[in-house]
Amino acid sequence: MKPNKKNNIENYKVIDLFAGAGGLSNGFEQTGKFEVLGAVEINPAAVKTYIRNHDNNEDIIIKENNGEISDITKIDFYKFINCKNLSGDEIIIIGGPPCQGFSNANRQKNYLISGNNQLVKEFVRAVDEIKPVAFLLENVKTMKSEVHKFFVTEHIEETIFSYSSEEHLSLITKKDKEKLKKLLKQDSITLIETKHENLRTILEQIFIQDEIKPIIENKKYISRLRSIERYINKSNYIKLKTKKEINEVSNLIKYLKGKVDNDSFVRKLKLNSILTSAIKVLNLVKEQEINKEEIQNNIGPLIDLNRFILNYKELIDEKIIFEQPLCIHNINNKITVNANVKSYNIVEYLEYVFSYYGYEIDYNTLDASDFGVPQRRNRFMFLGVKEKFALKEVKLPLKSNFFINKSTTKDAISDLEEIPPQKDIVNYTPTPYNEFHNLSLLQCYYRKNSSLIFNHINTKSRELSIKRFKAIKESGGENFHSLSDDMKSTYTDSSRTQNTIYLRLNYFEPSPTVVNVRKSMWNHPKNAVALSIREAARLQSFRDNFIFFGTKDQQYQQVGNAVPPLLARAVAEKLLNIIGDKPVISIEEEFKEYK
């Protein structure tokens, strides 16, 4: 039964999952109605930032059994809220679990199944265990697409696999066979595609082994082999040049020799000839230029075989149910090994599971620039409110009624243009504001509760980078492609360089989606310099009193990964409205004060 009056709660307790630096929770806190009870974040630099912006309270980071890191897979949320003497009826869960699409044609080659996708299940588990008033799941704008999927696993109680089994799916579809059939799709995972016909017999032998053991498990050695593979795909010859490359290959050779001499799995499958051929060519490549064909014929079989074993082992370790035996085909002069599985779309699953848990839901893709953020940034939002607390229809806001005109880059950072960014992060001194007339409303918002500017630091650009910044500015150009050919020579294939590389911002438009702007070499719209951490943070709508910690690259990355606080605040205000409450001060009320 729904209550007939607003909830009598002074402040809602927020549990912030996959918290990063804290942009999402910062927006919620700005309403004056939410306070963070605890946060889960595994990245050490982001943890430092989060703690510093929460009164240096180290206990705000949730860790299981006094562990060193905040690993969500190890946290018992039942236990956590019981220790706090709280119930779910006082709690809101927010967070953006990393989620990567799965595609046989275009995926990260390090792992077959992205472990990040499993973290969405951890978010579901947290909601299941805490049963909060409401939750907000934030993610990439493409989360609704077909490439974002889960695979059906075995059902193992009290593990994450219980959230992806057919028993679980049958339960959340309320044992409706038609709904379950609609949710589940027959699917196939490609474990390997190789042109090396001599591997076929070995692959068939591996299918029947009781123990699956990769030839190479060391990530550094795998990475070195794959870098050779990538290099030879672009060039007809390869020769190692750096001392680091030569040392890594020397160590890899020793490792492979040890496998030939001592590894029972290698002996059992008679893999000695594959390893010795690879060792011979790896020895040569340290000293001389080797052609593409020799690399592919002698090192290629080892790379493909090891990739298959790693993928097959991962399929087993992830408890994914697949038809046995695996399917092996000859297609277009290549051997292809597929595993027939069942999959289901992540967003469709979230609809079913949260509805089953008793939540009214809505999801949509929101553009941050529609909510006052000076940046075009599309993010997928999934909002759920427990049925008994939903006094109004559960709907996400689609745009702000207050920010009719989009905020621009100039609105965000023009008051900093005459304050040179510092270079030294170790001896950084917070910068006082310059006197600046006619501050934009956004600049007034940024300066609230702060007399100093923190993190106004940029990279110490190389001479060539500075020349490029100046050339782009002087020509009125937009990015790397605006440069003359003689200034592009350090790039292997400059024609394939993304438009966001060496991007010069436009003062009179919102910024494009902020990423790690240091790696992308973004430059200031007026000054021929790299964008500072603080300027990037302002494009994300962080106030100036929000301080970032870590190395320069870590700080830039934290900014790029964050949810814009103004976007989060708009959603938080809408949530309050749905549950019969309101912010202490709304965005509109606050910004009207600046006029």
Side-chain angles (χ1 to χ4, degrees):
M1 179 183 245
K2 296 180 182 178
N4 58 14
K5 60 180 180 178
K6 76 174 186 178
N7 305 305
N8 187 25
I9 294 179
E10 184 175 348
N11 283 100
Y12 300 90
K13 312 297 181 189
V14 169
I15 292 180
D16 191 359
L17 307 179
F18 315 99
L24 191 55
S25 58
N26 186 258
F28 271 70
E29 289 169 308
Q30 286 182 35
T31 65
K33 292 294 295 185
F34 298 94
E35 60 180 283
V36 176
L37 175 67
V40 177
E41 174 53 49
I42 203 165
N43 181 278
V47 165
K48 287 181 182 177
T49 296
Y50 203 97
I51 289 171
R52 171 59 181 79
N53 290 285
H54 288 89
D55 300 321
N56 293 312
N57 176 15
E58 295 189 2
D59 293 333
I60 204 163
I61 303 299
I62 305 171
K63 299 174 183 177
E64 180 66 7
N65 298 327
N66 299 315
E68 291 297 314
I69 60 173
S70 179
D71 182 351
I72 194 168
T73 67
K74 305 290 194 301
I75 293 168
D76 184 332
F77 290 102
Y78 288 121
K79 181 178 175 183
F80 176 74
I81 64 170
N82 285 339
C83 288
K84 301 287 185 181
N85 293 316
L86 292 170
S87 74
D89 287 356
E90 302 167 77
I91 294 172
I92 309 290
I93 292 178
I94 62 175
C99 180
Q100 293 175 351
F102 178 91
S103 166
N104 283 325
N106 181 24
R107 64 169 181 257
Q108 292 292 328
K109 296 296 183 181
N110 293 340
Y111 298 98
L112 178 69
I113 315 300
S114 171
N116 283 344
N117 284 359
Q118 310 311 311
L119 297 178
V120 177
K121 297 177 196 172
E122 295 290 352
F123 188 100
V124 173
R125 178 177 69 86
V127 172
D128 186 19
E129 293 182 1
I130 295 170
K131 297 175 174 57
V133 172
F135 66 83
L136 177 67
L137 184 151
E138 176 271 344
N139 221 284
V140 294
K141 66 178 181 179
T142 58
M143 193 181 190
K144 291 185 288 185
S145 71
E146 292 183 1
V147 300
H148 290 277
K149 63 177 80 170
F150 288 143
F151 299 99
V152 174
T153 67
E154 300 172 32
H155 185 87
I156 304 174
E157 285 291 346
E158 298 183 3
T159 72
I160 204 64
F161 302 114
S162 67
Y163 289 89
S164 49
S165 68
E166 198 153 342
E167 291 93 324
H168 171 70
L169 299 175
S170 177
L171 194 64
I172 65 172
T173 54
K174 300 179 181 177
K175 300 186 178 179
D176 183 324
K177 290 183 180 179
E178 286 303 311
K179 284 185 178 178
L180 183 60
K181 186 178 178 181
K182 183 181 177 183
L183 177 63
L184 291 177
K185 307 285 191 301
Q186 296 296 326
D187 208 340
S188 177
I189 300 174
T190 300
L191 301 181
I192 192 65
E193 189 178 76
T194 178
K195 68 176 185 178
H196 302 291
E197 177 66 33
N198 62 317
L199 293 181
R200 184 179 184 117
T201 303
I202 297 170
L203 294 173
E204 290 172 342
Q205 286 181 308
I206 292 171
F207 294 173
I208 61 174
Q209 298 302 312
D210 294 329
E211 181 186 11
I212 306 299
K213 184 180 177 184
I215 302 166
I216 306 171
E217 295 179 89
N218 185 296
K219 291 180 180 179
K220 186 181 289 186
Y221 297 151
I222 292 171
S223 178
R224 174 50 55 197
L225 279 176
R226 287 176 178 169
S227 68
I228 290 173
E229 182 182 46
R230 286 193 299 271
Y231 192 97
I232 211 68
N233 286 336
K234 297 177 182 177
S235 174
N236 290 323
Y237 295 90
I238 181 174
K239 181 183 177 184
L240 302 182
K241 297 177 181 178
T242 69
K243 187 176 180 181
K244 179 184 177 183
E245 290 173 335
I246 293 169
N247 285 341
E248 283 186 1
V249 168
S250 296
N251 290 333
L252 172 58
I253 291 168
K254 290 178 185 177
Y255 178 88
L256 292 175
K257 285 180 177 178
K259 289 284 181 175
V260 171
D261 295 337
N262 303 309
D263 193 284
S264 59
F265 188 74
V266 170
R267 286 200 301 270
K268 187 175 183 180
L269 293 177
K270 299 178 182 178
L271 304 179
N272 284 18
S273 62
I274 289 177
L275 269 66
T276 52
S277 293
I279 290 168
K280 179 182 176 181
V281 175
L282 286 169
N283 267 315
L284 292 173
V285 84
K286 291 192 302 176
E287 301 172 357
Q288 62 191 62
E289 197 171 67
I290 304 296
N291 68 44
K292 181 174 187 172
E293 187 176 350
E294 193 160 2
I295 294 284
Q296 289 178 334
N297 290 341
N298 293 282
I299 300 180
L302 173 62
I303 293 173
D304 285 353
L305 181 58
N306 198 64
R307 180 177 287 139
F308 167 76
I309 298 173
L310 285 168
N311 288 343
Y312 188 30
K313 185 174 187 299
E314 187 180 348
L315 195 71
I316 294 166
D317 291 346
E318 291 293 334
K319 311 299 181 187
I320 294 169
I321 296 174
F322 59 94
E323 289 181 11
Q324 298 192 47
L326 296 172
C327 301
I328 186 165
H329 307 284
N330 277 81
I331 302 173
N332 298 325
N333 297 319
K334 289 183 178 180
I335 298 171
T336 302
V337 181
N338 293 323
N340 291 329
V341 297
K342 290 181 180 178
S343 70
Y344 52 102
N345 179 266
I346 288 179
V347 173
E348 288 180 11
Y349 167 72
L350 294 177
E351 286 186 77
Y352 279 117
V353 73
F354 290 134
S355 296
Y356 176 76
Y357 290 158
Y359 289 87
E360 294 185 14
I361 61 173
D362 185 40
Y363 59 84
N364 218 318
T365 300
L366 307 184
D367 183 345
S369 70
D370 288 329
F371 297 90
V373 180
Q375 175 196 176
R376 294 187 182 92
R377 189 184 193 93
N378 290 305
R379 300 301 292 179
F380 176 80
M381 297 281 184
F382 196 117
L383 177 66
V385 181
K386 197 179 284 185
E387 290 172 356
K388 69 177 182 179
F389 288 98
L391 302 184
K392 296 182 179 180
E393 184 182 14
V394 176
K395 281 288 182 184
L396 286 159
L398 296 181
K399 66 185 303 181
S400 168
N401 293 324
F402 178 71
F403 294 103
I404 298 171
N405 298 317
K406 293 186 184 294
S407 299
T408 66
T409 300
K410 185 173 184 179
D411 293 330
I413 65 172
S414 63
D415 62 321
L416 304 182
E417 67 183 30
E418 293 183 5
I419 305 174
Q422 298 177 41
K423 311 293 183 190
D424 188 348
I425 201 165
V426 176
N427 300 309
Y428 176 75
T429 304
T431 311
Y433 292 113
N434 279 2
E435 184 177 352
F436 195 90
H437 300 289
N438 299 319
L439 290 171
S440 70
L441 297 184
L442 206 53
Q443 288 160 6
C444 293
Y445 163 78
Y446 291 144
R447 292 179 177 219
K448 186 176 182 179
N449 302 324
S450 182
S451 59
L452 296 170
I453 310 163
F454 295 88
N455 306 104
H456 192 39
I457 305 165
N458 67 5
T459 190
K460 189 175 182 179
S461 301
R462 294 175 301 165
E463 184 178 349
L464 178 57
S465 297
I466 294 170
K467 285 181 179 178
R468 285 171 171 163
F469 291 155
K470 289 179 178 177
I472 292 170
K473 177 188 174 182
E474 288 167 5
S475 68
E478 297 178 357
N479 53 36
F480 182 82
H481 296 293
S482 306
L483 295 168
S484 57
D485 289 343
D486 63 306
M487 298 195 76
K488 299 177 181 178
S489 58
T490 56
Y491 283 70
T492 306
D493 186 355
S494 60
S495 65
R496 299 184 64 183
T497 303
Q498 295 179 347
N499 291 334
T500 52
I501 302 300
Y502 277 90
L503 179 72
R504 180 172 173 246
L505 295 176
N506 186 328
Y507 250 162
F508 304 102
E509 296 178 355
S511 158
T513 300
V514 173
V515 290
N516 183 328
V517 302
R518 184 189 192 199
K519 287 182 178 178
S520 297
M521 303 298 290
W522 281 21
N523 53 103
H524 194 276
K526 187 172 180 181
N527 304 323
V529 297
L531 209 67
S532 77
I533 295 164
R534 176 50 52 194
E535 287 164 335
R538 279 194 173 191
L539 296 176
Q540 279 278 54
S541 76
F542 280 98
R543 281 185 161 131
D544 290 346
N545 64 351
F546 193 101
I547 306 174
F548 295 87
F549 285 85
T551 64
K552 283 184 191 178
D553 195 60
Q554 287 168 341
Q555 291 183 37
Y556 276 112
Q557 194 66 57
Q558 288 171 48
V559 172
N561 289 346
V563 178
L566 270 180
L567 172 60
R569 183 172 171 179
V571 177
E573 288 187 9
K574 181 66 173 179
L575 172 57
L576 287 169
N577 178 260
I578 291 168
I579 61 179
D581 210 332
K582 62 180 182 179
V584 172
I585 182 169
S586 70
I587 295 172
E588 184 173 345
E589 289 168 339
E590 181 177 337
F591 273 73
K592 282 182 176 178
E593 289 180 359
Y594 303 143
K595 288 188 174 181

